[in-house]
Amino acid sequence: FFLPIVPCQPPSLFASSVVVRLCKMSMSLSNPKGVKRNCELCGMAAQRACDNCSVVFWCCREHEVLDREAIHNRICEFMGPLRRPDSSATTQKEREQKKEQQQQRKQHLMKLTLQEAERLYNQGKYEHSIPAALQSLNFGKDALGLDSPDLVSSYLLIGSSSLGLDQLKQAEVNFTQAQWIIVKQKDCAPALRAQLHRGLGRLYFQKGDADLALKHLAEDVYFSSKAFGSALDVHTAGGYFLMAMIFESIKKPSDADEFYSKVVEVWSRHLRQWLQADHGVEERCLTPAQETEAQQQLQSIFDMWQKEQPPVSVFACRVQFSLGLLHHARSNLTQARLLYKSAKSIRSRLEQHFSPSVQVCCLGCVYGVCVYACM
């Protein structure tokens, strides 16, 4: 399943981006003789410098604005101490202590910038997510080395963001880098392997290779199940959903419906178990990213089903009920009641057609709404 490994490093991260076309119209920055200053984003010769930290450079105003908005303004104060030579240590012990402190700061900044990159990615701000993830990658390389498995998440995030910008070549470069690190790790975490295969599945789907995309997504579901203990864990939903989309694109509607049903089952199972369990007031059912994923997938499935299938069906009932559970878990009770009532109405209209093999369950009274669904 693996891509051929090619030597590739991402100094030219934005080489294919539209913004790089504007790099020639920039202010000049005179460099000391023999000193090379490269753009923080694309690696081209720098023509601009941060007037605060004086150690970060850009090739053009567009890259400066993008990097500042994405991540630099949050970490500017840390960059000077990290990149300027420190001659205050006079003994070997002091130099080793300062080096250790620098490594710890870089690891902390690696995590901070990765969190920011993930937040931007989840908001759909792919062009801003890349500079933040690239900064995390650079901190990680400095602190942990080029082959550390802790770099994989940054590579995968850059690759996924590149897919969001339809930069398939750049996505493939970064997924290949992540894959190379994983191949060399004998005991790499299954969750990381799952993320890699999902990224590769999305890549080959966008490139039009359905067979290879499905192969990688099957690996994604396998490793997600291994990492989180169940083929119905919420971490598998993305793989099932992408497989359904691929089957739909190659005109295999029955296979697509099977995987769409699996997506609904995954989210419904998790949401029902959470709502029925005792938990703290502040405890969240899903992370913000998972909430967005669940909303997008369930709503997309329901909208698709309404266009292509009779709206009064067992499947439509399940999807509406699952959307109701999601709004319920997010404390959006007004919308949850509407969806529960709609699911109950569909269930009532279908009741006379149920066969003995169809299980009907009742969750009882939920905030005054009697909820029935065919599950």
Side-chain angles (χ1 to χ4, degrees):
F1 311 122
F2 292 105
L3 291 168
I5 304 303
V6 294
C8 47
Q9 294 289 341
S12 57
L13 183 66
F14 281 81
S16 60
S17 176
V18 175
V19 74
V20 83
R21 301 173 189 170
L22 305 174
C23 289
K24 295 181 180 180
M25 301 298 294
S26 306
M27 295 172 56
S28 63
L29 178 71
S30 58
N31 294 341
K33 188 175 181 180
V35 176
K36 292 183 179 180
R37 291 172 172 168
N38 298 321
C39 178
E40 198 76 8
L41 297 189
C42 68
M44 295 175 63
Q47 298 172 309
R48 305 173 72 88
C50 175
D51 54 7
N52 186 32
C53 67
S54 303
V55 295
V56 172
F57 310 97
W58 304 280
C59 62
C60 62
R61 181 179 182 278
E62 287 71 25
H63 277 193
E64 177 183 356
V65 171
L66 179 60
D67 191 35
R68 284 185 179 277
E69 290 178 349
I71 194 64
H72 182 69
N73 288 343
R74 291 197 61 185
I75 62 174
C76 180
E77 63 181 296
F78 306 110
M79 299 305 290
L82 284 176
R83 291 188 176 180
R84 291 193 194 99
D86 184 359
S87 58
S88 62
T90 57
T91 67
Q92 181 65 22
K93 183 177 180 180
E94 287 178 344
R95 286 191 289 269
E96 290 177 354
Q97 288 177 342
K98 285 188 175 293
K99 183 178 179 180
E100 179 64 25
Q101 290 173 356
Q102 291 286 71
Q103 297 299 84
Q104 291 176 359
R105 291 192 187 103
K106 288 176 182 178
Q107 291 183 51
H108 171 73
L109 288 169
M110 177 189 72
K111 295 176 182 178
L112 185 149
T113 49
L114 182 62
Q115 289 173 357
E116 182 64 11
E118 290 172 343
R119 185 185 70 83
L120 292 166
Y121 177 82
N122 291 331
Q123 292 178 352
K125 298 178 180 179
Y126 305 125
E127 195 167 21
H128 287 77
S129 174
I130 291 176
L134 181 59
Q135 196 64 258
S136 176
L137 183 64
N138 291 334
F139 284 131
K141 286 179 179 179
D142 288 345
L144 304 171
L146 299 179
D147 298 329
S148 170
D150 290 331
L151 304 182
V152 170
S153 294
S154 298
Y155 278 123
L156 293 178
L157 197 51
I158 296 170
S160 297
S161 297
S162 299
L163 286 181
L165 296 171
D166 204 31
Q167 296 177 357
L168 304 189
K169 183 177 180 180
Q170 196 58 53
E172 189 164 8
V173 165
N174 284 278
F175 287 141
T176 302
Q177 289 287 82
Q179 188 176 45
W180 177 233
I181 293 174
I182 287 176
V183 166
K184 293 192 292 183
Q185 301 295 322
K186 295 182 179 179
D187 55 350
C188 187
L192 274 183
R193 292 183 181 273
Q195 292 176 42
L196 171 64
H197 285 292
R198 184 169 303 182
L200 291 171
R202 289 180 59 207
L203 171 66
Y204 287 111
F205 181 27
Q206 288 185 228
K207 292 178 73 171
D209 191 334
D211 289 340
L212 197 50
L214 287 169
K215 190 175 292 185
H216 280 294
L217 291 169
E219 291 290 308
D220 163 29
V221 172
Y222 167 75
F223 283 113
S224 292
S225 303
K226 188 175 180 179
F228 299 101
S230 171
L232 293 178
D233 184 86
V234 293
H235 292 85
T236 65
Y240 290 133
F241 185 75
L242 286 168
M243 283 193 276
M245 291 179 65
I246 293 171
F247 281 122
E248 187 177 3
S249 71
I250 60 177
K251 310 301 181 185
K252 292 187 176 181
S254 59
D255 291 326
D257 291 347
E258 179 180 348
F259 281 99
Y260 282 134
S261 296
K262 185 69 73 174
V263 174
V264 175
E265 182 182 2
V266 166
W267 291 117
S268 176
R269 176 177 177 269
H270 177 82
L271 292 163
R272 287 178 59 183
Q273 288 179 349
W274 188 83
L275 287 169
Q276 291 174 321
D278 293 329
H279 49 77
V281 176
E282 300 297 324
E283 186 179 346
R284 297 182 69 104
C285 176
L286 300 166
T287 66
Q290 289 172 337
E291 286 184 3
T292 300
E293 182 183 19
Q295 177 68 41
Q296 290 175 345
Q297 290 177 7
L298 293 173
Q299 191 64 53
S300 176
I301 292 170
F302 182 68
D303 292 344
M304 174 274 300
W305 193 265
Q306 279 192 313
K307 292 179 181 178
E308 300 181 6
Q309 302 290 340
V312 179
S313 66
V314 172
F315 187 79
C317 178
R318 289 173 173 169
V319 178
Q320 290 217 31
F321 180 69
S322 298
L323 280 168
L325 291 172
L326 177 61
H327 284 285
H328 188 169
R330 299 167 76 176
S331 299
N332 187 356
L333 302 184
T334 300
Q335 187 63 27
R337 288 189 184 98
L338 291 175
L339 289 161
Y340 285 150
K341 288 179 179 178
S342 179
K344 181 185 175 184
S345 175
I346 295 173
R347 185 261 180 201
S348 298
R349 293 164 67 181
L350 290 169
E351 191 173 23
Q352 57 182 329
H353 302 295
F354 284 165
S355 66
S357 62
V358 177
Q359 181 182 2
V360 180
C361 67
C362 174
L363 290 186
C365 189
V366 182
Y367 289 97
V369 178
C370 191
V371 183
Y372 290 87
C374 314
M375 306 303 289

